[in-house]
Amino acid sequence: MKLINTDGMAFIGPGSEWFWTALSGIVLAVTFLGIYRQLRIARSANAFEQMDRLSNEWDSERMNRHKLEILLALRAGVKPENVPSGAASYVRDFWDDMALLIKAGHIDRRLVYESFTAPCRAWWATLAPVVRRLRTEAGDPRLSNFHEWLAGVMAEMDARSGVVLKYDEAFIASSLDERIERAQDQIRISEELRAVIVRPTSPAPASPPPALAELPPAGEPA
């Protein structure tokens, strides 16, 4: 029993055009599949590079000094809407940039969720009062709306994962000392890593002890 009837089919010469057309289509399909796979690999590698860059920036000494300035102001009794605006702008710009990378498709939000969900939501709760004040003063409701959007996305993903944690004033107050200590530790480590350690030069080798005088033979006076 023939599954495929090849009677009258030509594979070479006149009448074989159908075969070469089909073969060309298969080759093109395989080529496009290979290109697509390479693009996916390159995109994944780029996403991880972006995540590594963002992690390094978030843990950098400069970022931690800005975070520490805000947290120390809160512990000193400064109202949340009046924390240092320069430090607040630096921190919220980081989250706005991350949100833009997600919206542009450069980073998968699932990667961000695994690494940044807690700090994203915590810092939106921390900066929301000053952001709202600046929105009113500048007359620009779009100010830091990307950070707000990202914090909402992280909250939704937390809810789907069964994580129930409120990032509110009570959370900020209860976690303030821990966050200050963490920022101070990061700054201390950065300072130690760039410190120059001065060691004394190796001491000169000790001179050998003088040779002992030859003892006289037994029975002779020394």
Side-chain angles (χ1 to χ4, degrees):
M1 178 179 179
K2 287 186 177 181
L3 296 179
I4 300 176
N5 186 5
T6 58
D7 294 341
M9 290 185 178
F11 296 95
I12 298 176
S16 63
E17 291 81 2
W18 67 271
F19 171 72
W20 297 108
T21 301
L23 184 61
S24 299
I26 294 173
V27 171
L28 285 173
V30 172
T31 302
F32 288 143
L33 184 62
I35 293 173
Y36 174 73
R37 186 171 180 273
Q38 290 297 323
L39 288 174
R40 288 200 62 181
I41 292 173
R43 182 177 177 183
S44 296
N46 181 63
F48 280 103
E49 288 176 5
Q50 292 278 12
M51 289 296 297
D52 186 58
R53 179 186 65 80
L54 290 169
S55 295
N56 290 336
E57 183 178 351
W58 181 245
D59 291 332
S60 68
E61 181 181 352
R62 176 178 294 183
M63 179 65 74
N64 276 291
R65 289 191 181 278
H66 286 297
K67 291 188 284 188
L68 185 61
E69 185 178 358
I70 296 167
L71 297 172
L72 289 175
L74 291 173
R75 188 166 70 176
V78 175
K79 292 183 178 180
E81 61 269 22
N82 294 325
V83 296
S85 58
S89 296
Y90 191 89
V91 176
R92 64 182 174 80
D93 284 348
F94 170 85
W95 294 111
D96 284 340
D97 290 344
M98 180 181 287
L100 282 170
L101 287 171
I102 295 173
K103 281 179 169 287
H106 296 298
I107 297 179
D108 191 328
R109 65 183 64 186
R110 290 171 296 182
L111 292 176
V112 173
Y113 176 76
E114 293 297 329
S115 301
F116 287 103
T117 179
C120 176
R121 295 187 63 190
W123 277 100
W124 173 247
T126 304
L127 298 177
V130 67
V131 168
R132 295 188 181 106
R133 176 179 67 81
L134 293 173
R135 285 174 178 174
T136 300
E137 292 178 355
D140 185 1
R142 301 170 301 173
L143 187 68
S144 203
N145 61 342
F146 293 116
H147 185 189
E148 184 175 14
W149 168 82
L150 182 57
V153 170
M154 296 295 103
E156 292 174 1
M157 297 179 76
D158 265 346
R160 289 197 297 268
S161 300
V163 178
V164 181
L165 183 59
K166 293 184 66 175
Y167 291 84
D168 51 16
E169 291 182 6
F171 168 83
I172 294 172
S174 64
S175 63
L176 197 56
D177 288 340
E178 179 187 353
R179 295 166 72 187
I180 288 173
E181 183 178 356
R182 189 184 307 123
Q184 289 173 333
D185 283 345
Q186 292 282 0
I187 293 170
R188 175 182 55 80
I189 292 171
S190 297
E191 290 175 341
E192 290 176 354
L193 287 174
R194 70 168 183 271
V196 177
I197 300 175
V198 179
R199 292 189 177 92
T201 57
S202 301
S207 57
L212 296 175
E214 185 177 349
L215 295 176
E220 295 184 7

